[in-house]
Amino acid sequence: MMKKLAWLGLSVLMLGACGTNGAETSGAGNTLEEVAVEFNTGQTAEVGEEVALSVTITQGGEAVEDADEVVYEVWESGHRKDGEMITAEHTADGVYEAETVFGEEGLYYMQAHTTARRLHAMPKQEMTVGNPDPESIVPDDSEDSEGMNMMEEHSGH
């Protein structure tokens, strides 16, 4: 009787260990594939022209139609603290757009703060508006963390 209980106990332990091992193995295959965010917006515009800020979001080559949030941060070089946050709308095929108008010549930056499928991406692109005086352009040495702070303020709205 004692031998039967020992074998039964050993069998239960072995089955339990197999089940645990299988769970660890299956979890290793569920790695998240990177969300890619590509700008569709050109790099030049004219003063007063309505500009479509646009990105295409993909994951594993497939269009992402269900991004949680896409917000464009737009600022003139050297003036990130005065930047504007513009919420994008999904149009089709993983494309998210918003409209803006640049009122003055200058070098501007746009950063697409993108949250999709539990991942966050923040690509940044320059845009030259009009023919700015090169001496008026201030190098952008702002940290991306500044944009994250603005996102947190924006999300509270």
Side-chain angles (χ1 to χ4, degrees):
M1 179 75 159
M2 197 66 147
K3 283 185 178 182
K4 286 183 183 179
L5 284 176
W7 279 108
L8 182 61
L10 184 60
S11 297
V12 169
L13 285 174
M14 289 178 68
L15 283 174
C18 289
T20 303
N21 190 21
E24 290 172 1
T25 302
S26 66
N30 293 336
T31 58
L32 291 175
E33 195 162 341
E34 179 181 354
V35 170
V37 181
E38 257 185 69
F39 277 97
N40 305 318
T41 305
Q43 294 186 305
T44 59
E46 293 302 317
V47 174
E49 171 188 6
E50 190 168 80
V51 176
L53 305 177
S54 176
V55 293
T56 300
I57 305 173
T58 57
Q59 185 178 41
E62 304 274 324
V64 172
E65 306 290 334
D66 60 350
D68 297 317
E69 185 175 45
V70 179
V71 178
Y72 294 99
E73 178 185 3
V74 180
W75 71 95
E76 188 174 1
S77 67
H79 301 280
R80 187 165 190 168
K81 289 184 170 103
D82 299 324
E84 179 181 8
M85 302 302 274
I86 307 166
T87 302
E89 298 292 327
H90 178 252
T91 57
D93 301 323
V95 176
Y96 294 78
E97 295 184 334
E99 302 285 327
T100 193
V101 175
F102 295 95
E104 296 180 19
E105 289 186 324
L107 177 66
Y108 290 83
Y109 293 93
M110 54 187 163
Q111 187 165 33
H113 295 273
T114 307
T115 304
R117 301 180 178 172
R118 300 182 310 194
L119 299 172
H120 191 74
M122 303 184 320
K124 184 165 52 173
Q125 176 175 300
E126 290 183 5
M127 176 172 282
T128 303
V129 177
N131 296 307
D133 177 0
E135 291 184 23
S136 71
I137 296 172
V138 178
D140 184 64
D141 58 358
S142 62
E143 301 269 336
D144 286 341
S145 61
E146 289 181 41
M148 289 301 293
N149 292 338
M150 288 185 73
M151 273 297 293
E152 288 170 9
E153 291 171 15
H154 174 77
S155 295
H157 293 190

